[in-house]
Amino acid sequence: MIRIERRAPMSREAAAGLRLAGVAGALLAGAAFLSATGHDPGQAYLDMLRGAVGSPYAAQQTAVKAIPLALTGLGVALAFHAGLWNIGAEGQLAMGAFLASWAALGLSWPAWALLPAMGLLGLVGGGLWALLPAVPRALWGTNEIITTLLLNYVALLWVDYLVFGPWADPSAFSFPYSRPFPDAARLPLLPGTQVHAGALFVVAIAAALGFVLRRTAWGYEIRVTGHSPRAAAYAGMPVRANVLLVMVLSGAVAGLAGMGEVSGVIGRIQQGISPGYGYSAIIIAWLARLSPWGTVGVAVLFAALINGGFALQTSGVPAAIASMLQALVLFSVLVGDFFVSHRVAVRRGRAAALPAQEAAAEP
Amino acid sequence: MDVYLQDIRKAFPETVALHGVSFEARPGEVHALLGENGAGKTTLMNILAGLYQPDEGSIWLGGQRRRWRSPAHAIAAGIGMVHQHFKLVPPLTVHENLLLGVRGPLWLHRRRDAARVASLAREHGLDVDPLARVWQLSMGERQRVELLRLILRDARVLVLDEPTSVLTPQESQALFATLRSLARSGRTVVFISHKLEEVLRAADRITVMRGGRAIATLRSQDARAADLAALMVGRHVTPPQPSPPPPGAPVLEVDRLTVPGDRRPLAVREVTLTVHAGEIVGVAGVAGNGQRELAEALAGLRPIASGAVRLDGRPLERATVRDRIEAGLALIPEDRLDVGLVGEMTAADNLILKSYRQPPLSRRGVLDPRAVRARARAALGRFSLAVPAEAPVRLLSGGMLQRLLLARELAEAPRAVVAMSPTRGLDVGAAADVHRALLEAQSRGTATLLLSEDLDELLLLADRLAVMYDGRISAILKRAEFDRPRIGLLMAGGAA
């Protein structure tokens, strides 16, 4: 009989090797599929690599793509550290974009005043949107997975309403987007690059998060609360207040990602500002083990995978196969990760099966 | 039925639980399996009952070699086990629980079975109302239901895992009489225990296990407690000697404290008691009589309905948890891991759980890693704990966890400490260390409220003993009045 059981901890090198082997396996499986469907796998992978990092332009586009992924990833990582399952980064991003756009479209301020105001409104929009599920969670323990998830739809529909209705660009014949932002509302590019200044948000927030979590008393509270809320209560930590604060901050960072997209990339607010950044953020944060700089790194890899997929499409591979390859790589990374802590045991004879955890709990 | 386990080996991913253990028990005997936590007793018996497969070795039953396909297969072959956590369905009646899992006609022969149950119960002293719902029963009664169920399934080998851990002394007496009667009827009875006295009192033969090996099998009339203890621990353990200082001023005062419960309207009713400086007041009682709620209410973790709590004369009943900690009230919680300690964090991080806001550990909200490490070194050194400072504490043994928890809670000489079952599940050596630490705090003037289900521990340490039943303190006894039968009676709700 075959069963899955927990294994003794393995060395760092072995774990890294296992994860790499997972990716290699995915690429091999993808290659088999590509040749079976009449494509040249070598060429396809080369196209992907070129599309992701093959030229200064491609690398910079990957960096631009990584900005919203990293910001939402950092936001949810903070919530996950506190044991709060914020699945609502997508909606928080949208609400941040909404408030920032409100300033961009309504205020005719100079850039030095307008951009900080938009950044602040982005933070506020995302933060308040996360406060909404945080209050019932703090007071009555309402499951935030459900509430944050459902509020995503509300936020996205609200943005849809605006861009189809009151904010629709009159000259766009009912295409779902607003008027373009004035130049003063556009984030500048980093000197000599195609990357907008939102990249600085990523660096600042990753650095701040790393410091707060590791080196401050409040970060210590968050880590204790995340690992064991009962221990936090026992130690007299303000658990409820921290639930509110962490959710608001987590949403605020996602809201800033929304501001970065409308101000730095799109230049207007429109339907579908995010192709699911807020959901990818969850996977990114977990793959990075919630480490702030790790999240930034994984976000860049993710962005490379996405842009590589685009490049693949332009060289004639159907979009579905490109998405499939992306999913395959992601899946095998996750599987590799699982087998760092588990193994398959094969036993002869039929045995009374015990779930892996139960067996491990009994020393 | 003769039971023979031959060279059983069982490994789990991170440990080897059994290194080739052989064990035999005969029909008509009560056989005790004695050992500390982690000695492998429960694993060995789970293998006999088909819950685990041995990696090597064989099971012989009545001279035949057997291999279990499932726990049900072992039950069908006549092996019955009463686990430490009962496997009953609380909303169902005793009768319905007895019929669970019994193969036969689909309908229940209520009347016919009832008569059979009643006669079996009478024969072995297993009195219990068949129409009562299980949740209404005491732990002792639930255990009787478990035993009845095994007998109804015609179990020839009965295995009980730590059967007395939830019983009052009287209930334990009754249980051992029942086990004797079951053995006399030709069954093989094995019980797991780590308590020397009861093993000597109740068993015909004793097999001592240590570190996954069977060390010796002795007839109980040939065994002495001190020898058994040495076999069990592998060295001689000297129990700490209490020498209480004269009690000082009142420190922890509880006045008509009433606390709502989770399932009952009131878990603690009008409890009044005082703990003086340098005094250990024990609280005895069967689990679930309000001890946990009392401790949580004192620590501020549970809202109270009415009454007062004072520490050094200062009212605390409305204070926050943090205020209480800062006033010098320490709590050793029942759940070491997950409440007292954070399993995923390091020892160093755990040692600052209550003081992380104070200088030098943190200044203006910024932690000083060097001060945190220094604090850890000092605390670990003072209690001579060889704990890796940077590994998650969930990897530590129960004894190490409790020592770590005590190192933190007792480090700063608290004014008062509330300790809940501080030695539950610990081996003899670790328990002695915990007792020593509590006595040392006492000698420094700490007022201690010790809530425990282990009467021996209370009789050893307490200067006064409060007995708790149904949320009330039914009596407070001085050391000169300590008397086991009387305490047992009070624990069961009898009048003093």
Side-chain angles (χ1 to χ4, degrees):
Chain A
M1 81 150 234
I2 299 173
R3 67 179 197 195
I4 304 270
E5 58 186 30
R6 285 178 72 93
R7 55 168 301 141
M10 56 165 68
S11 71
R12 283 180 95 103
E13 295 77 27
L18 194 56
R19 294 195 179 100
L20 277 180
V23 176
L27 292 179
L28 277 177
F33 189 83
L34 282 167
S35 30
T37 52
H39 302 277
D40 175 2
Q43 188 60 45
Y45 286 144
L46 202 60
D47 286 343
M48 271 184 96
L49 198 62
R50 283 206 188 112
V53 292
S55 64
Y57 174 80
Q60 292 183 27
Q61 286 313 302
T62 293
V64 170
K65 198 81 180 164
I67 291 170
L69 289 170
L71 283 175
T72 48
L74 289 167
V76 298
L78 170 61
F80 293 167
H81 267 289
L84 294 165
W85 305 110
N86 178 12
I87 311 296
E90 188 76 1
Q92 290 143 16
L93 179 150
M95 292 313 267
F98 150 63
L99 273 196
S101 303
W102 173 78
L105 296 170
L107 304 175
S108 42
W109 292 359
W112 61 265
L114 187 55
L115 283 174
M118 285 172 66
L120 201 63
L121 285 168
L123 290 166
V124 168
L128 288 182
W129 201 245
L131 181 64
L132 220 54
V135 168
R137 161 64 208 249
L139 294 184
W140 310 297
T142 310
N143 186 331
E144 75 280 8
I145 300 179
I146 310 283
T147 52
T148 54
L149 177 66
L150 291 181
L151 281 171
N152 286 344
Y153 301 106
V154 180
L156 295 178
L157 289 170
W158 169 247
V159 170
D160 280 3
Y161 161 72
L162 289 175
V163 297
F164 276 107
W167 285 7
D169 184 350
S171 62
F173 307 107
S174 79
F175 275 105
Y177 52 70
S178 72
R179 283 186 288 117
F181 289 177
D183 282 348
R186 299 298 306 270
L187 275 173
L189 299 179
L190 297 179
T193 71
Q194 300 289 314
V195 182
H196 65 83
L200 301 178
F201 299 160
V202 174
V203 174
I205 287 171
L209 197 58
F211 179 78
V212 165
L213 285 172
R214 282 288 136 206
R215 290 290 308 277
T216 67
W218 186 71
Y220 176 78
E221 281 182 6
I222 297 312
R223 287 186 289 133
V224 170
T225 311
H227 288 308
S228 169
R230 294 171 71 206
Y234 160 76
M237 295 174 180
V239 175
R240 283 183 176 177
N242 281 343
V243 167
L244 296 177
L245 197 52
V246 164
M247 281 295 279
V248 166
L249 290 176
S250 165
V253 175
L256 191 61
M259 180 270 178
E261 286 308 282
V262 292
S263 170
V265 178
I266 308 170
R268 51 168 42 124
I269 185 161
Q270 63 179 29
Q271 191 182 28
I273 35 178
S274 157
Y277 294 135
Y279 296 113
S280 304
I282 298 162
I283 306 168
I284 290 172
W286 272 120
L287 280 177
R289 313 251 140 138
L290 308 187
S291 134
W293 288 111
T295 299
V296 175
V298 176
V300 171
L301 291 179
F302 236 75
L305 202 55
I306 293 173
N307 278 354
F310 286 146
L312 202 54
Q313 289 174 45
T314 57
S315 65
V317 177
I321 294 186
S323 309
M324 198 202 71
L325 281 178
Q326 290 170 6
L328 208 53
V329 169
L330 186 58
F331 178 77
S332 46
V333 170
L334 289 170
V335 168
D337 212 43
F338 177 78
F339 282 109
V340 168
S341 54
H342 293 76
R343 66 173 176 187
V344 179
V346 183
R347 294 266 154 72
R348 273 183 304 143
R350 282 178 59 201
L354 273 178
Q357 286 181 339
E358 207 173 316
E362 175 78 43
Chain B
M1 212 165 4
D2 280 309
V3 173
Y4 180 45
L5 299 173
Q6 185 187 12
D7 297 327
I8 301 283
R9 191 188 134 85
K10 177 73 185 172
F12 291 109
E14 291 175 35
T15 58
V16 179
L18 300 172
H19 308 258
V21 174
S22 295
F23 170 83
E24 64 79 34
R26 303 168 193 150
E29 78 167 342
V30 176
H31 196 123
L33 198 51
L34 178 73
E36 300 193 305
N37 278 70
K41 311 176 297 267
T42 302
T43 307
L44 186 66
M45 288 299 111
N46 279 340
I47 284 173
L48 174 61
L51 285 161
Y52 293 153
Q53 288 293 320
D55 297 338
E56 287 163 31
S58 34
I59 302 169
W60 300 78
L61 213 58
Q64 272 185 301
R65 187 168 173 189
R66 306 301 297 260
R67 185 189 290 267
W68 305 136
R69 286 189 300 272
S70 65
H73 187 203
I75 291 169
I79 310 270
M81 184 156 172
V82 180
H83 294 273
Q84 214 170 348
H85 299 285
F86 298 151
K87 315 277 190 214
L88 299 172
V89 186
L92 299 187
T93 64
V94 168
H95 190 82
E96 287 160 344
N97 268 284
L98 289 176
L99 294 172
L100 281 178
V102 174
R103 281 175 208 210
L106 276 176
W107 58 89
L108 310 177
H109 280 287
R110 191 170 275 255
R111 202 171 312 153
R112 193 197 67 196
D113 290 336
R116 181 152 170 250
V117 169
S119 91
L120 276 170
R122 239 190 339 273
E123 184 187 342
H124 299 295
L126 291 166
D127 260 348
V128 56
D129 172 6
L131 296 180
R133 305 215 169 253
V134 163
W135 63 265
Q136 299 168 316
L137 302 180
S138 74
M139 286 298 157
E141 289 170 315
R142 289 182 203 199
Q143 192 172 56
R144 281 178 237 155
V145 178
E146 286 270 14
L147 277 170
L148 270 175
R149 183 157 73 167
L150 299 184
I151 299 167
L152 275 173
R153 288 175 180 183
D154 224 16
R156 306 304 298 164
V157 179
L158 298 166
V159 181
L160 295 91
D161 192 357
E162 298 276 359
T164 60
S165 59
V166 292
L167 303 183
T168 64
Q170 273 82 359
E171 284 176 321
S172 302
Q173 291 281 3
L175 170 72
F176 289 129
T178 297
L179 295 185
R180 175 61 51 208
S181 146
L182 288 168
R184 221 180 289 124
S185 71
R187 293 177 177 85
T188 309
V189 178
V190 181
F191 76 95
I192 295 175
S193 175
H194 66 272
K195 297 181 190 162
L196 297 171
E197 300 81 17
E198 72 180 29
V199 162
L200 283 168
R201 208 163 54 223
D204 299 312
R205 289 196 302 156
I206 302 162
T207 295
V208 184
M209 285 188 72
R210 184 176 79 227
R213 293 189 166 81
I215 301 295
T217 300
L218 314 115
R219 294 195 307 171
S220 56
Q221 68 250 45
D222 304 337
R224 288 187 313 128
D227 301 337
L228 284 178
L231 284 172
M232 190 163 128
V233 187
R235 62 193 154 87
H236 283 276
V237 175
T238 42
Q241 291 305 316
S243 53
V251 174
L252 180 65
E253 294 169 275
V254 182
D255 187 14
R256 280 169 299 163
L257 185 70
T258 298
V259 181
D262 295 327
R263 273 172 294 178
R264 295 166 286 182
L266 294 178
V268 177
R269 304 158 189 243
E270 306 228 314
V271 162
T272 298
L273 52 82
T274 303
V275 189
H276 301 84
E279 185 186 37
I280 297 181
V281 174
V283 176
V286 178
N289 274 287
Q291 300 97 312
R292 173 209 283 264
E293 289 86 352
L294 174 61
E296 289 179 353
L298 292 177
L301 294 169
R302 179 180 284 274
I304 64 169
S306 63
V309 178
R310 282 184 295 275
L311 191 70
D312 289 322
R314 180 182 153 199
L316 273 195
E317 65 272 5
R318 302 277 166 236
T320 62
V321 174
R322 182 162 287 168
D323 285 344
R324 292 178 208 228
I325 293 169
E326 278 165 13
L329 179 65
L331 172 68
I332 296 161
E334 201 172 16
D335 298 322
R336 263 157 236 154
L337 218 48
D338 201 37
V339 176
L341 298 167
V342 184
E344 293 300 321
M345 295 175 98
T346 63
D349 272 354
N350 269 293
L351 283 165
I352 63 168
L353 188 65
K354 287 183 169 177
S355 48
Y356 66 96
R357 286 264 178 208
Q358 292 158 10
L361 295 175
S362 70
R363 289 175 207 280
R364 292 205 202 89
V366 178
L367 289 170
D368 178 352
R370 260 178 315 176
V372 172
R373 276 196 298 274
R375 169 69 58 96
R377 263 198 309 275
L380 296 178
R382 229 190 67 162
F383 289 82
S384 30
L385 284 175
V387 174
E390 297 303 324
V393 299
R394 72 182 152 78
L395 301 172
L396 301 176
S397 70
M400 287 313 262
L401 287 173
Q402 192 69 324
R403 289 183 182 104
L404 188 63
L405 183 55
L406 286 165
R408 185 186 69 214
E409 293 301 302
L410 302 180
E412 288 169 44
R415 297 293 302 141
V417 54
V418 176
M420 280 225 67
S421 302
T423 59
R424 175 187 291 168
L426 300 192
D427 60 52
V428 180
D433 272 4
V434 168
H435 290 162
R436 250 186 290 279
L438 289 173
L439 291 170
E440 205 233 343
Q442 174 186 32
S443 70
R444 283 184 292 153
T446 297
T448 305
L449 189 66
L450 174 64
L451 302 97
S452 175
E453 285 147 35
D454 181 350
L455 196 51
D456 295 320
E457 169 174 86
L458 292 170
L459 295 180
L460 174 70
L461 297 179
D463 301 309
R464 288 186 298 141
L465 188 64
V467 183
M468 210 164 168
Y469 176 77
D470 196 21
R472 293 179 196 281
I473 300 272
S474 45
I476 299 184
L477 309 173
K478 293 196 189 63
R479 200 156 177 100
E481 303 167 320
F482 286 4
D483 169 45
R484 250 172 220 278
R486 182 171 169 214
I487 296 168
L489 205 59
L490 287 164
M491 281 164 71

